Amino acid sequence: MCVNITFRNKKLEKYANQHSQALKKLGSVRAAKYKQRLDDLRAIETLEEARVLPGKYHELVADRKGQWACSLDGQFRLIFEPHEDPIPINSEGQFIWSEIKGVEIIEIVDYH
């Protein structure tokens, strides 16, 4: 079993499935990183396993609470949200990464 990945829009899905479109719109470095991050997510069973992957997977805060990010290139990040609704939390209110088994890719952005 692997993390189930969906896409917020057709554009992000197209970049994932059509390398030529990703190259054209994202450039070679970002397109390669996007593909690598998606391949990495497909190879794990829960988001917990992403903690040790390249890309510095991390939870976002403030107005982006409930979203996660990982590095692509420069300051660009791949942003995603868990499929689980509500997102599993422990008694301290922390998200339980090991119970997240699906993500929706929502954007590629430089939010810095």
Side-chain angles (χ1 to χ4, degrees), residues 5-13 34 38 41 60 63-69 77-83 103-109 111:
I5 300 173
T6 58
F7 299 89
R8 169 84 28 107
N9 59 53
K10 296 289 183 192
K11 178 176 67 172
L12 291 168
E13 188 171 11
Y34 182 52
L38 293 175
L41 285 169
L60 298 177
D63 63 334
R64 287 188 174 268
K65 186 168 178 66
Q67 296 178 346
W68 272 250
R77 303 294 182 259
L78 177 63
I79 312 298
F80 56 92
E81 297 175 338
H83 285 167
V103 298
E104 180 173 57
I105 306 299
I106 59 172
E107 65 181 330
I108 296 171
V109 66
Y111 55 71

Side-chain angles (χ1 to χ4, degrees), residues 4-74:
N4 179 40
I5 300 173
T6 58
F7 299 89
R8 169 84 28 107
N9 59 53
K10 296 289 183 192
K11 178 176 67 172
L12 291 168
E13 188 171 11
K14 185 186 289 187
Y15 299 163
N17 296 318
Q18 296 177 18
H19 186 65
S20 62
Q21 286 296 310
L23 282 173
K24 182 177 175 181
K25 298 294 185 178
L26 303 175
S28 61
V29 173
R30 195 168 308 136
K33 291 286 187 181
Y34 182 52
K35 181 184 182 322
Q36 183 62 55
R37 299 295 179 253
L38 293 175
D39 289 347
D40 288 347
L41 285 169
R42 288 183 181 113
I44 61 177
E45 291 186 26
T46 72
L47 197 56
E48 179 68 30
E49 296 171 61
R51 289 182 188 267
V52 298
L53 294 173
K56 300 178 183 169
Y57 289 78
H58 57 282
E59 298 173 24
L60 298 177
V61 295
D63 63 334
R64 287 188 174 268
K65 186 168 178 66
Q67 296 178 346
W68 272 250
C70 63
S71 299
L72 291 177
D73 67 309

